[in-house]
Structures are given as C-alpha cells and as structure tokens.
Amino acid sequence: MSSLDERIMRAVEKVGPAVVNISTIRMVQDYVFHVHPVAGMGSGIIVDPEGYVASNNHVVAGSQRVDVTTVDGRKLAGKVIGADPTSDVALLKVDSAGLPTAELGDSDKLKVGQVVIAIGNPFGFALGGGPTVTMGLVSALKRQIQAQDRVLEDLIQTDAAINPGNSGGPLVDLEGRVIGVNTAMIPLAQGIGFAIPINEVKTRLEDLAKYGRVIRPWVGVVGLDLTREMAAYYGLPVSKGVVVARIVHYSPAFEAGLRERDILLRLDDTELTAVGDLQKALKAKKPGETIELVILRDGRRGTASVRLGETPET
C-alpha cells in the first residue's frame, strides 16, 4: 500500500463522521393547482459540535421539511438558520450535541494540481456503507460559472467526481481538512466539478449564524471595465479603471457625490484595474465603514469618502 493510499484513507476516516445526508420535502404546485410533495437530497458538513451543519442554499431552498441523517444512522430534524443564494451557502441546526465535527482548512493556500477528495451522498444512504468518496486534483482556481439565475464566483474547479447529491459535502485535502464545499457539476461533461472555497464559506456562516442572512457592503454603482480602446476613443489619461455607468439614487455613492462617467482608480490601498478588483476590495469591508475612492472626473483626479451601506434585500 502506497503512502498516498494511506494518507487518503486517514483523511477520509478523519472527516467522514462529520458528513451527513440531507433530505428535503418541497411542496410544488402543478398546472391544475394541485400541490404535491417533492423529495430532494444533498449533503452537509457538521461544523460545530452543538449541531450546526453547513450545506448549499440550493439543497434546502424552498423546503418545508429538512431531515439530517448522520453516518451512524441517526435521523434528526433540521432547521434552516439562514441561507444565501448569492454564495450558495446555507447553515442548518439540529437538536443534538457532541456531534463529530470537520476541521476547516485554509483555501487561500490551495495550489493547482493539489490532490483533493470529494465526499458526499449522491444517492442518500441508499447505497449503504456511508458516504461516497472520490479523488482528483485541483484543476483551476477562481472559476466563475452561471448557475440558474445567478453567477457563482471564485470557485475551486476539480476533476474529482461530483454528482448532484454531493452538493453541500466537503472537498478535503490530504490532511483531512475541509478546503471547499461542493456545489455544482456541469451536466454531460466529465471531470468538471466546482466547490466554494472554505474561507468564503466561513465568512458566510458567521453572518448566517449571527443575522440569519449575509451582510454585504453596498456602494450603489454599476461599473464597467475601462479598456484601452475606450480610453483612446475618449482621450483619457488612464487606460485602466472602473467606469461608473449608473448610480442608484440615494445610495452611498449618490450621497457621496459620485457621478456617472466618473472613473474609479483606487479604493483605499487597492488599485482598481477592473470591476473585479472593486468587488474583491468590497468583500473585505463591512456596512458602516468609510472607504476612500480615488476618482478621475473631466481629466482631473480627486477623492471621495463613501460610507458603505448594506446591500438591499431582494
């Protein structure tokens, strides 16, 4: 038996007891207005011994009933504490203490080519013998995919086999640390699955536990990437930045005096070369904080102080 085999088995033994099966019931109305129960399933990760379980929003969204089944066969009623469609993260609670928990790693340290293990319940526990284990590599980082009505960003791409029932289960390194939460696979494609980085999940779980929802900072601008072609056409002195295409009335940006066609060059100490830089910089902020923007307006540089608001609920 190789050392790699032994490391994989130790990792699975370490995290396996913290992987649960999640079964749901949704009430769906058909075209003649009859209501029918529809069953769904997915996976989850016990992240706190007091019964807190992390999973995907799409696993539990719209459910009237959620049951959580542990590896040792205990079936527990689950309550959704909060769920975030934007990041596809959900936090559940079961009424049980002393549960085995998974160790959460650091996804910022991931490298392309690193060996990872996906664990989940693609067919619930119908197959018997506990969760299903697959192995692969980190194929890419910071991937972006379209998922139904929203875009999921900064995902881990892996070729470890991920099936629909794996959603909400852990992606694990060879030390048995959770470095991602499996969220999606591309139908009809082989070896293409995605996971939410665990550092992103940790942040979302903190908000869900505290507020029941994710708190995001809001500026109130719609931005476009400034390209060299745009800069040349308008004779601008800069070729990179974020062009303010629209400002929401009475938003923080509106109150701070920003205007359409302003070009955002810097947010505090972060240079803004594209909209992605602005989004990433804002992720590290909280509503109520004040940011300093360096802007270009009519060929002149200036600054604007913006007190961040909270993203309006949709």
Side-chain angles (χ1 to χ4, degrees):
M1 184 179 296
S2 71
S3 61
L4 178 59
D5 291 337
E6 292 175 347
R7 291 183 70 186
I8 292 170
M9 288 187 292
R10 284 197 298 268
V12 172
E13 288 171 358
K14 178 179 177 180
V15 75
V19 180
V20 298
N21 178 66
I22 296 175
S23 56
T24 63
I25 298 293
R26 297 178 176 86
M27 305 307 292
V28 177
Q29 191 176 71
D30 63 21
Y31 67 96
V32 291
F33 306 109
H34 292 156
V35 177
H36 305 277
V38 175
M41 67 175 62
S43 302
I45 310 161
I46 303 172
V47 294
D48 185 282
E50 296 303 310
Y52 287 95
V53 177
S55 187
N56 290 143
N57 169 75
H58 77 261
V59 169
V60 299
S63 298
Q64 276 72 44
R65 176 176 169 179
V66 178
D67 291 316
V68 175
T69 305
T70 61
V71 171
D72 60 8
R74 284 181 290 168
K75 189 173 183 179
L76 306 168
K79 176 183 178 182
V80 179
I81 300 298
D84 180 46
T86 300
S87 62
D88 198 25
V89 174
L91 179 64
L92 288 68
K93 178 75 166 63
V94 296
D95 189 16
S96 184
L99 295 173
T101 61
E103 178 184 354
L104 305 185
D106 183 355
S107 51
D108 288 344
K109 295 181 179 179
L110 280 177
K111 302 292 183 183
V112 174
Q114 182 174 334
V115 175
V116 289
I117 305 160
I119 306 177
N121 301 287
F123 300 100
F125 286 135
L127 296 178
T132 295
V133 177
T134 58
M135 185 189 76
L137 303 175
V138 174
S139 305
L141 298 169
K142 299 187 181 300
R143 288 300 201 203
Q144 177 177 298
I145 62 169
Q146 179 73 41
Q148 295 182 343
D149 61 341
R150 63 191 67 248
V151 174
L152 296 176
E153 300 176 322
D154 293 333
L155 299 179
I156 303 164
Q157 181 184 332
T158 177
D159 65 352
I162 293 176
N163 296 292
N166 284 86
S167 291
L171 189 69
V172 182
D173 65 15
L174 289 178
E175 303 304 318
R177 298 171 298 213
V178 179
I179 46 81
V181 175
N182 301 321
T183 187
M185 44 80 73
I186 296 181
L188 306 180
Q190 295 184 3
I192 303 180
F194 299 94
I196 309 162
I198 197 62
N199 289 0
E200 167 86 1
V201 175
K202 290 176 189 176
T203 302
R204 303 309 169 212
L205 292 179
E206 288 176 5
D207 276 357
L208 293 174
K210 189 179 294 185
Y211 307 110
R213 67 186 192 281
V214 170
I215 305 298
R216 288 185 173 84
W218 185 51
V219 176
V221 302
V222 177
L224 299 173
D225 293 351
L226 176 62
T227 64
R228 292 185 181 275
E229 293 77 13
M230 291 170 61
Y233 182 83
Y234 290 105
L236 299 174
V238 295
S239 58
K240 292 181 180 179
V242 177
V243 181
V244 177
R246 185 168 68 86
I247 294 178
V248 179
H249 273 210
Y250 305 109
S251 67
F254 180 89
E255 299 293 345
L258 269 67
R259 303 177 187 171
E260 293 178 2
R261 298 189 181 182
D262 283 347
I263 300 172
L264 310 182
L265 303 176
R266 183 176 291 276
L267 189 158
D268 291 340
D269 296 326
T270 301
E271 183 181 2
L272 304 178
T273 62
V275 173
D277 296 330
L278 176 62
Q279 294 170 338
K280 185 175 181 180
L282 287 173
K283 275 187 177 182
K285 305 295 183 180
K286 295 287 186 182
E289 290 185 29
T290 298
I291 59 171
E292 195 78 12
L293 290 172
V294 176
I295 64 174
L296 183 72
R297 178 184 296 170
D298 299 329
R300 296 181 179 180
R301 290 181 183 244
T303 60
S305 296
V306 181
R307 188 173 187 273
L308 297 172
E310 181 183 339
T311 301
E313 294 188 56
T314 56

Short mmCIF file of all heavy atoms in Angstrom, two decimals, residues 106-132:
data_model
loop_
_atom_site.label_atom_id
_atom_site.label_comp_id
_atom_site.label_asym_id
_atom_site.label_seq_id
_atom_site.Cartn_x
_atom_site.Cartn_y
_atom_site.Cartn_z
N ASP A 106 -7.66 26.11 5.09
CA ASP A 106 -7.40 27.45 4.55
C ASP A 106 -7.34 27.35 3.02
O ASP A 106 -6.34 26.91 2.47
CB ASP A 106 -6.08 28.00 5.10
CG ASP A 106 -5.79 29.42 4.65
OD1 ASP A 106 -6.56 29.97 3.83
OD2 ASP A 106 -4.78 30.00 5.10
N SER A 107 -8.41 27.75 2.36
CA SER A 107 -8.47 27.61 0.90
C SER A 107 -7.55 28.58 0.19
O SER A 107 -7.26 28.40 -1.00
CB SER A 107 -9.91 27.78 0.41
OG SER A 107 -10.50 28.96 0.91
N ASP A 108 -7.07 29.62 0.87
CA ASP A 108 -6.14 30.55 0.22
C ASP A 108 -4.79 29.89 -0.07
O ASP A 108 -4.01 30.40 -0.87
CB ASP A 108 -5.91 31.79 1.11
CG ASP A 108 -7.12 32.71 1.14
OD1 ASP A 108 -8.00 32.56 0.26
OD2 ASP A 108 -7.20 33.55 2.04
N LYS A 109 -4.53 28.77 0.57
CA LYS A 109 -3.25 28.07 0.37
C LYS A 109 -3.31 27.00 -0.72
O LYS A 109 -2.32 26.32 -0.98
CB LYS A 109 -2.79 27.44 1.68
CG LYS A 109 -2.46 28.46 2.77
CD LYS A 109 -2.00 27.78 4.04
CE LYS A 109 -1.66 28.81 5.12
NZ LYS A 109 -1.23 28.17 6.39
N LEU A 110 -4.48 26.84 -1.34
CA LEU A 110 -4.63 25.82 -2.38
C LEU A 110 -3.76 26.13 -3.59
O LEU A 110 -3.56 27.29 -3.97
CB LEU A 110 -6.09 25.74 -2.83
CG LEU A 110 -7.05 24.94 -1.94
CD1 LEU A 110 -8.45 25.04 -2.50
CD2 LEU A 110 -6.62 23.49 -1.84
N LYS A 111 -3.28 25.04 -4.23
CA LYS A 111 -2.49 25.16 -5.45
C LYS A 111 -3.10 24.28 -6.54
O LYS A 111 -3.62 23.20 -6.26
CB LYS A 111 -1.05 24.71 -5.21
CG LYS A 111 -0.32 25.47 -4.09
CD LYS A 111 -0.06 26.91 -4.48
CE LYS A 111 0.74 27.64 -3.39
NZ LYS A 111 0.94 29.09 -3.73
N VAL A 112 -3.04 24.76 -7.77
CA VAL A 112 -3.49 23.95 -8.90
C VAL A 112 -2.61 22.70 -8.98
O VAL A 112 -1.38 22.79 -8.87
CB VAL A 112 -3.42 24.75 -10.22
CG1 VAL A 112 -3.74 23.86 -11.41
CG2 VAL A 112 -4.38 25.93 -10.16
N GLY A 113 -3.24 21.56 -9.14
CA GLY A 113 -2.52 20.29 -9.18
C GLY A 113 -2.52 19.55 -7.87
O GLY A 113 -2.11 18.39 -7.79
N GLN A 114 -3.01 20.19 -6.80
CA GLN A 114 -3.06 19.57 -5.48
C GLN A 114 -4.11 18.46 -5.45
O GLN A 114 -5.20 18.59 -6.03
CB GLN A 114 -3.40 20.64 -4.44
CG GLN A 114 -3.43 20.16 -3.01
CD GLN A 114 -3.63 21.33 -2.04
OE1 GLN A 114 -3.28 22.47 -2.34
NE2 GLN A 114 -4.21 21.05 -0.89
N VAL A 115 -3.81 17.35 -4.77
CA VAL A 115 -4.75 16.24 -4.65
C VAL A 115 -5.85 16.60 -3.66
O VAL A 115 -5.57 17.11 -2.56
CB VAL A 115 -4.03 14.96 -4.19
CG1 VAL A 115 -5.03 13.83 -3.95
CG2 VAL A 115 -3.00 14.52 -5.23
N VAL A 116 -7.09 16.34 -4.03
CA VAL A 116 -8.24 16.61 -3.16
C VAL A 116 -9.20 15.44 -3.20
O VAL A 116 -9.18 14.62 -4.12
CB VAL A 116 -8.98 17.91 -3.57
CG1 VAL A 116 -8.15 19.13 -3.23
CG2 VAL A 116 -9.35 17.89 -5.04
N ILE A 117 -10.05 15.37 -2.19
CA ILE A 117 -11.01 14.28 -2.04
C ILE A 117 -12.40 14.88 -1.88
O ILE A 117 -12.60 15.80 -1.08
CB ILE A 117 -10.68 13.44 -0.79
CG1 ILE A 117 -9.23 12.94 -0.84
CG2 ILE A 117 -11.65 12.28 -0.65
CD1 ILE A 117 -8.69 12.54 0.52
N ALA A 118 -13.35 14.39 -2.65
CA ALA A 118 -14.76 14.82 -2.54
C ALA A 118 -15.55 13.74 -1.81
O ALA A 118 -15.43 12.55 -2.12
CB ALA A 118 -15.35 15.08 -3.91
N ILE A 119 -16.33 14.15 -0.83
CA ILE A 119 -17.12 13.21 -0.03
C ILE A 119 -18.56 13.70 -0.01
O ILE A 119 -18.82 14.89 0.15
CB ILE A 119 -16.58 13.11 1.41
CG1 ILE A 119 -15.09 12.77 1.40
CG2 ILE A 119 -17.36 12.07 2.21
CD1 ILE A 119 -14.46 12.72 2.78
N GLY A 120 -19.49 12.78 -0.20
CA GLY A 120 -20.90 13.17 -0.20
C GLY A 120 -21.81 11.98 -0.32
O GLY A 120 -21.38 10.82 -0.22
N ASN A 121 -23.08 12.27 -0.54
CA ASN A 121 -24.11 11.23 -0.60
C ASN A 121 -24.91 11.36 -1.88
O ASN A 121 -26.04 11.86 -1.87
CB ASN A 121 -25.04 11.36 0.62
CG ASN A 121 -24.30 11.24 1.93
OD1 ASN A 121 -23.88 10.16 2.32
ND2 ASN A 121 -24.11 12.36 2.61
N PRO A 122 -24.34 10.95 -3.04
CA PRO A 122 -25.04 11.15 -4.31
C PRO A 122 -26.37 10.43 -4.41
O PRO A 122 -27.22 10.83 -5.18
CB PRO A 122 -24.04 10.61 -5.34
CG PRO A 122 -23.13 9.72 -4.58
CD PRO A 122 -23.03 10.31 -3.22
N PHE A 123 -26.58 9.38 -3.62
CA PHE A 123 -27.87 8.68 -3.62
C PHE A 123 -28.41 8.54 -2.19
O PHE A 123 -29.03 7.54 -1.85
CB PHE A 123 -27.72 7.29 -4.26
CG PHE A 123 -27.25 7.35 -5.68
CD1 PHE A 123 -25.92 7.11 -5.99
CD2 PHE A 123 -28.12 7.67 -6.70
CE1 PHE A 123 -25.48 7.17 -7.30
CE2 PHE A 123 -27.68 7.75 -8.01
CZ PHE A 123 -26.36 7.50 -8.31
N GLY A 124 -28.16 9.56 -1.38
CA GLY A 124 -28.52 9.45 0.02
C GLY A 124 -27.72 8.33 0.64
O GLY A 124 -26.56 8.10 0.31
N PHE A 125 -28.34 7.59 1.56
CA PHE A 125 -27.68 6.41 2.12
C PHE A 125 -28.25 5.13 1.51
O PHE A 125 -28.12 4.05 2.07
CB PHE A 125 -27.85 6.40 3.65
CG PHE A 125 -26.98 7.42 4.34
CD1 PHE A 125 -27.50 8.22 5.35
CD2 PHE A 125 -25.66 7.57 3.98
CE1 PHE A 125 -26.70 9.14 5.99
CE2 PHE A 125 -24.85 8.50 4.63
CZ PHE A 125 -25.37 9.29 5.63
N ALA A 126 -28.89 5.27 0.32
CA ALA A 126 -29.50 4.11 -0.32
C ALA A 126 -28.46 3.07 -0.71
O ALA A 126 -28.74 1.88 -0.77
CB ALA A 126 -30.29 4.54 -1.56
N LEU A 127 -27.23 3.51 -0.99
CA LEU A 127 -26.19 2.58 -1.39
C LEU A 127 -25.63 1.82 -0.20
O LEU A 127 -25.03 0.76 -0.37
CB LEU A 127 -25.04 3.33 -2.08
CG LEU A 127 -25.38 4.02 -3.40
CD1 LEU A 127 -24.15 4.75 -3.94
CD2 LEU A 127 -25.87 3.02 -4.42
N GLY A 128 -25.83 2.33 1.00
CA GLY A 128 -25.27 1.70 2.18
C GLY A 128 -23.78 1.94 2.30
O GLY A 128 -23.10 2.33 1.34
N GLY A 129 -23.24 1.69 3.50
CA GLY A 129 -21.80 1.79 3.67
C GLY A 129 -21.28 3.19 3.88
O GLY A 129 -20.06 3.41 3.85
N GLY A 130 -22.15 4.18 4.08
CA GLY A 130 -21.69 5.54 4.35
C GLY A 130 -21.48 6.36 3.10
O GLY A 130 -21.81 5.94 1.98
N PRO A 131 -20.91 7.54 3.26
CA PRO A 131 -20.73 8.47 2.13
C PRO A 131 -19.84 7.90 1.03
O PRO A 131 -19.03 7.01 1.26
CB PRO A 131 -20.08 9.69 2.79
CG PRO A 131 -20.41 9.58 4.24
CD PRO A 131 -20.46 8.13 4.54
N THR A 132 -19.99 8.46 -0.17
CA THR A 132 -19.17 8.10 -1.31
C THR A 132 -17.93 8.98 -1.36
O THR A 132 -18.00 10.19 -1.13
CB THR A 132 -19.97 8.27 -2.62
OG1 THR A 132 -21.06 7.33 -2.61
CG2 THR A 132 -19.11 8.02 -3.85
#
